[in-house]
Amino acid sequence: MWVSCRRSHRRTRGHWSRERRETAICSLSLLFVCVLSACAFVLPAYLLLSLAGLNGLLVIHGLLRRGCIFGVLKLGLVQLSITLSLYLILYGVAHLAQGAIVVARIILATIPGWWLCITVPPERIGEVLSAFLPTKWAFVVAASLSLLPYMADEIREIYHIQCLRGARITPRALRNPRNWAELVYCVLFPVLIQLLKLSRQMAIAAQSRHFGLNQRPTHWHSPRDNND
Amino acid sequence: MTLLALKGVSFNYGSQLPTVLQEVNLSIGSGQCHCVSGTTGSGKSSLLNLLAGVLNRPHEGEIWRNPKLVTGLVMQDPQIQLIRQTVGAEVAFALENLSIPTEQMLAKVQLALRRVGLYLRLDTPVSTLSLGQKYRLMIAAQLVCEPHLLLLDEPWAQLDDHSVSELLIVLRNLIQGGMALVLVEHNASAFADIIQHYWQLEAGKLSAGTYTVKDTPPVETPVRRSQFNHLGRVLVSAGAFDFGFDGSPVLFACPQGFQLRAGEIVTLVGDNGTGKTSLLKTIAGVLSLRQRLPFKVLGRRPKLGIYGAELGLLMQRPSRQLFETSVLAEMQFSLKRFGLPKERAAQMLDELQLADLAELSPHKLSYGQQHLIALASLACLCPKVLLLDDPLAGMDQYYHGKVWHLLQRLSSQGTAILLASHRHIEHRVVSRQLSLRNGLLVEDPMEMEARYVG
């Protein structure tokens, strides 16, 4: 009996230390990501290559953790095409390289955030943020991060529905700038309406699960083994 | 012991808007089970929110709550209640808010999941669950706090029969243990074993009894033809295939393939999470997998956007597709894009006796009305193939009648309809049934004489 109690106590102590370790790692990751993203904007152009190398390591780590980088790449390509087009129209061919550097800075600022979302659960980020933000604000940040994959799916589904309904928003149709308004009208408006509805419903869902009842909520840490 | 009592409660969402609840009186005691029925959009969900104490708008009348009362609310659409990304974290959210020590959470979370029959790893992403599994997850997320009063909005519509029977066992035990339950349900008979008090909500007034439909559109009796005359041209065909997502094990196999012929209404029945939605999306070309499936739709391999008005897909929660400022404009959108006569939209609204909605904003319609408008928008196109993902979920009998009327009309015009549902559909206009169970997609034998092709 005494032995089993001691084992249980040791297990509990071990459990606690793992939780604290997870929270500490999340804090450091958050700090690291903030610094790295800030560097993308403040570093001189000749240091961007080193920063890109560091970001490359994050991408490899994220991919090993089954993250999908296609979204970031798509965003980068769209950003690149729009920015370069604008630079070409406004400043001519001579300044295209500058436009490319601006896009590179944006992508390098985005990758650390992508990596953080892959490697750290949103609730852990919420836990860290609640140390220096009001609980409600920390919850809003964590819930928004949790919602990102869902909203990405929603946007994709709404896009597919509208394509099937005949909206001129297929990749081929969007080559014509006159159809860009249709994308806003058919996809972005419904997405915005969905977001407004969702935020209201989620507030009710959180309230119905006693959110805001305690000023200092505790935090869930998923066990790594024997989950079932 | 009385847990909650409403005395003469009236409520609306704005001074200019009609009253949702009028002089409602209700008393709920521990161990009781109440069921509220009523038309789609009659205010049942608002009543549940009021009971849960999550409505922020002021109300008239008196609401008395037992000081120790803990309520749990599960809304109709589980998708919009998910706050976390993994199953364990989702269930533990309420425990966090109650400041339950972290080391005590694991056992409570596991127990709550088992109570609703979800045997999943705690780190399972919620995005991988089916709608029905998500609904059960939401129930677990409330049961984990051991509420005195549980409020469920339309569980029957979201769950398959197996899940409903499992839920019934759970609810019966909880009621015997003293928990009170309020169900909002169109199909009260599914929970008849546990319901003690029946209520109907009509025009904001709550009275004893079960809501019954007074004016269901009639469905014409089909003209039965001989066995071989039934079979129209094959519009969708699939050879034998194994279906699975990229990098995942096979979800189901279809050893004999299947066909969908012009004028048929075929149901695709399977439990929550068996892959019905994914199959429909694949047929429509919305879901493209690395694996090439032997599908032919209208003589071509499925690809998004190549069928134009010839193929329609109604996804779950079709209210997502609404964006125009009036119902008529919403219905005319596809007609304009496909160069079809715009008059069809008004004719369709007349046929469905919904002409008075024509100038209203589609966002102000009830759930059932939005659902029907989305379906009617597709029906206007007279597609050759129509794929419907659970089109009857969350609708009352009145709207069911209208949906069947519409489907029968399309079928008689030669549209092949594939209708996915998590429940066996008993309807005389259904020609055949495909079943998805135990990882197999097979055709269920039906009496040929009983088949109907429009």
Side-chain angles (χ1 to χ4, degrees), chain B residues 113-325:
Chain B
L113 286 169
R114 281 179 191 152
R115 273 172 136 180
V116 295
L118 278 179
Y119 297 94
L120 301 165
R121 287 179 62 90
L122 296 175
D123 55 0
T124 305
V126 288
S127 58
T128 60
L129 306 184
S130 71
L131 206 63
Q133 287 173 318
K134 283 173 185 164
Y135 193 85
R136 280 193 274 167
L137 180 65
M138 283 300 103
I139 297 175
Q142 294 293 351
L143 290 184
V144 76
C145 304
E146 295 173 15
H148 305 111
L149 171 62
L150 184 63
L151 309 159
L152 298 183
D153 199 350
E154 306 244 8
W156 188 80
Q158 307 291 345
L159 300 174
D160 54 51
D161 287 339
H162 179 67
S163 307
V164 168
S165 51
E166 278 187 349
L167 181 65
L168 259 173
I169 296 167
V170 172
L171 294 177
R172 192 179 292 119
N173 289 338
L174 290 168
I175 290 167
Q176 280 168 1
M179 191 194 78
L181 175 69
V182 177
L183 288 165
V184 157
E185 189 54 71
H186 289 308
N187 184 21
S189 60
F191 296 91
D193 286 356
I194 55 169
I195 297 170
Q196 299 147 354
H197 305 276
Y198 289 90
W199 302 95
Q200 55 179 326
L201 194 60
E202 207 172 0
K205 299 209 168 162
L206 191 71
S207 55
T210 312
Y211 172 76
T212 46
V213 182
K214 292 167 187 111
D215 180 27
T216 311
V219 177
E220 293 157 29
T221 312
V223 181
R224 290 193 177 143
R225 302 172 194 176
S226 72
Q227 184 174 334
F228 298 105
N229 288 343
H230 288 173
L231 306 174
R233 202 159 58 87
V234 175
L235 300 180
V236 178
S237 66
F241 65 94
D242 288 343
F243 187 94
F245 296 108
D246 296 335
S248 302
V250 172
L251 190 59
F252 64 87
C254 182
Q256 282 147 8
F258 66 88
Q259 288 184 336
L260 193 58
R261 293 171 180 271
E264 279 190 311
I265 299 180
V266 179
T267 53
L268 171 63
V269 179
D271 283 352
N272 300 129
T274 46
K276 303 181 298 292
T277 301
S278 305
L279 180 63
L280 291 191
K281 284 182 180 174
T282 310
I283 295 172
V286 168
L287 190 69
S288 51
L289 302 167
R290 255 181 261 152
Q291 170 202 11
R292 291 191 85 178
L293 295 171
F295 285 10
K296 278 273 165 73
V297 180
L298 299 167
R300 285 177 282 179
R301 277 191 181 283
K303 194 180 170 191
L304 181 66
I306 60 169
Y307 303 110
E310 292 186 328
L311 183 139
L313 169 66
L314 186 78
M315 291 198 196
Q316 288 176 350
R317 298 185 294 127
S319 59
R320 290 178 290 175
Q321 70 181 46
L322 307 172
F323 61 91
E324 291 281 14
T325 50

Side-chain angles (χ1 to χ4, degrees), chain A residues 12 15-16 19 66 117 120-124 126-127 135 139 142-150 153-168 170-172 179 182 184-187 189-191 193-194 197-228, chain B residues 49 52-56 70-73 75 77 79-86 88-103 105-106 109-110 114 119-123 127 138 141-142 145 277 281 284 286-287 304-305 308 311-313 315-325 330-331 333-338 363 370 377-378 381:
Chain A
T12 309
H15 193 63
W16 268 108
E19 288 160 7
R66 296 190 171 189
C117 289
V120 181
E123 61 267 21
R124 198 66 52 242
E127 182 186 349
T135 312
F139 167 72
S144 304
L145 287 172
S146 293
L147 266 181
L148 283 177
Y150 171 69
D153 285 345
E154 280 291 285
I155 293 169
R156 199 177 302 125
E157 288 229 326
I158 291 172
Y159 173 80
H160 287 149
I161 294 172
Q162 305 297 25
C163 279
L164 288 171
R165 292 181 72 200
R168 295 173 186 141
T170 55
R172 182 182 282 183
N179 292 333
E182 188 127 322
V184 174
Y185 198 49
C186 292
V187 179
F189 278 5
V191 167
I193 292 166
Q194 282 295 110
K197 282 183 188 170
L198 192 64
S199 56
R200 200 178 54 194
Q201 298 284 359
M202 279 190 69
I204 294 175
Q207 214 180 330
S208 76
R209 285 195 262 164
H210 317 290
F211 178 72
L213 205 67
N214 283 299
Q215 286 305 307
R216 297 197 68 79
T218 47
H219 299 282
W220 160 258
H221 284 255
S222 182
R224 286 214 178 129
D225 50 355
N226 196 19
N227 287 339
D228 310 307
Chain B
N49 289 347
V54 294
L55 273 182
N56 295 324
V70 177
T71 53
L73 168 68
M75 293 183 278
D77 185 356
Q79 192 65 61
I80 54 171
Q81 300 164 70
L82 297 168
I83 288 167
R84 296 278 167 80
Q85 285 181 347
T86 58
E90 187 65 49
V91 178
F93 178 70
L95 297 176
E96 292 178 343
N97 294 324
L98 292 172
S99 293
I100 303 293
T102 307
E103 63 273 21
M105 287 183 185
L106 180 61
V109 168
Q110 285 175 326
R114 281 179 191 152
Y119 297 94
L120 301 165
R121 287 179 62 90
L122 296 175
D123 55 0
S127 58
M138 283 300 103
Q142 294 293 351
C145 304
T277 301
K281 284 182 180 174
V286 168
L287 190 69
L304 181 66
L311 183 139
L313 169 66
M315 291 198 196
Q316 288 176 350
R317 298 185 294 127
S319 59
R320 290 178 290 175
Q321 70 181 46
L322 307 172
F323 61 91
E324 291 281 14
T325 50
E330 191 69 49
M331 290 181 66
F333 175 76
S334 295
L335 292 170
K336 280 191 277 184
R337 288 291 174 269
F338 293 126
H363 299 287
Q370 286 182 338
S377 310
L378 291 175
L381 307 173

